[in-house]
Amino acid sequence: MASRSEICCEILIAILLPPLGVCFRHGCCSVEFLICLLLTILGYIPGIIYAIYVIVAVDREPYPSDYWRPINA
């Protein structure tokens, strides 16, 4: 889970350059980044809205950290 200061900085970056904020959060080869890049090319405001949504609402780890922990016998 990201701290509040990280999320705040990512939102500020997402307002200036929406794909960059999403890239910091999810990586450059993610579906979220590509959607944000396309929306930013089509219109700056939809890119900002989507970037803020992805940063705040979409969890970058779909499974809990103990999901992949090996089973101890």
Side-chain angles (χ1 to χ4, degrees):
M1 187 79 184
S3 68
R4 291 183 184 192
S5 61
E6 288 176 1
I7 292 174
C8 183
C9 290
E10 289 170 353
I11 289 174
L12 290 175
I13 292 171
I15 291 172
L16 297 174
L17 294 169
L20 187 60
V22 175
C23 178
F24 285 158
R25 184 77 162 162
H26 293 279
C28 291
C29 295
S30 66
V31 174
E32 290 87 2
F33 174 77
L34 296 175
I35 292 172
C36 186
L37 183 64
L38 180 67
L39 285 173
T40 305
I41 290 170
L42 294 175
Y44 186 67
I45 301 299
I48 292 174
I49 293 170
Y50 182 75
I52 292 174
Y53 167 74
V54 167
I55 290 170
V56 173
V58 176
D59 190 17
R60 75 173 121 183
E61 294 182 20
Y63 303 108
S65 61
D66 61 344
Y67 184 80
W68 297 105
R69 189 177 63 207
I71 299 173
N72 294 332

